Amino acid sequence: MKPLIVANWKINPSTLAEAKRLFNSVAKGIKNIGRTEVVICPPFLYLPTIQQSNISTIKLGAQDCFWEEKGAFTGEISPAMLKDLGVDYVIIGHSERRKYLKETDEKVNKKLRAVLKTGLKAILCVGSIQRGEKGGREMSRQLEKSLVKVKKSDLKNIVFTYEPIWAISTTRGSAVATPENTKDGAIFIKKTLFKLFNKPPKIKIIYGGSVDSSNIRGFIEGAEMDGVLIGAASLKAEDFIAAVKNIDKLRKT
Ligand code: PGA
């Protein structure tokens, strides 16, 4: 399985010109990678322009979508529209949407099913605000409710993203997750899936929370993750390129 590195640009950069510059620098910097899958998730508005670059080493992702295909839902974007644009992945249930947009597990579930039905891959975020037992309960609830009516055969199209909220760069203060913490998170996700599905297939689990070029190796090697989701550091072309190369190089040796 190729390691997966997802760049979540969130609501950045502020102009299309800057977005093009960032994308072109990253595309140039990683043009020789061969063993890592890179997905860039820019704001919706930049997707068509970036898509035109048609860079084979980079796949496109969206940061969210709505659950209906079409109709009177002002301001929303459907999975079908994203597919039509050449998008491969959609992030669902990011902690910032759960927090600021009051996105519930039920809405996450509807979005997840719509994404899978459209034939796109979902990057499903789960993570707790608290640590320990309480955090575990929060994560099992998120997984259980997000996966209602999701078929076992669809699990291969879901990338489970472990996102301890206390470790995300914009909220963390001084707390940084260690590879040990994240390994525990991944084991927890696997155990919960075993409870929910009879013999689930091998699933992809990635980690998100203050990853950059200096710590990425630890999260992938030490925590045995299948990849990472990078927020803040994905906006700095040099750092993001270095992070990708660190992992690509690792897989060649
Ligand atoms: P960060 O974001 O890399 O800025 O901590 C990660 C995330 O949003 O999961």
Side-chain angles (χ1 to χ4, degrees), residues 8 10 94 96 163 167-170 208-211 229-233:
N8 179 11
K10 308 191 180 181
H94 191 279
E96 287 149 13
E163 227 195 7
I168 292 182
S169 64
T170 44
S210 301
V211 178
L229 182 146
I230 308 183

Side-chain angles (χ1 to χ4, degrees), residues 110-209:
K110 284 188 187 180
K111 291 183 176 192
L112 177 65
R113 286 194 284 141
V115 163
L116 295 171
K117 193 173 152 212
T118 311
L120 295 169
K121 291 198 165 121
I123 299 171
L124 174 66
C125 299
V126 288
S128 58
I129 297 167
Q130 286 159 309
R131 303 192 197 206
E133 229 175 272
K134 277 194 181 155
R137 277 203 295 277
E138 196 180 339
M139 274 179 51
S140 4
R141 190 214 66 226
Q142 288 175 358
L143 282 166
E144 213 170 292
K145 294 197 168 177
S146 314
L147 292 168
V148 168
K149 293 193 194 151
V150 170
K151 293 195 281 292
K152 186 160 78 176
S153 57
D154 276 334
L155 293 179
K156 61 177 184 310
N157 293 321
I158 305 177
V159 177
F160 290 85
T161 308
Y162 173 54
E163 227 195 7
I165 292 155
W166 45 268
I168 292 182
S169 64
T170 44
T171 47
R172 72 176 157 83
S174 59
V176 181
T178 62
E180 288 71 40
N181 299 140
T182 60
K183 193 171 178 173
D184 290 347
I187 293 171
F188 187 88
I189 291 175
K190 281 186 193 156
K191 280 191 179 156
T192 311
L193 291 175
F194 266 89
K195 274 189 222 152
L196 296 175
F197 295 89
N198 180 26
K199 296 201 193 114
K202 189 169 166 21
I203 51 153
K204 208 170 226 185
I205 305 186
I206 66 173
Y207 165 71

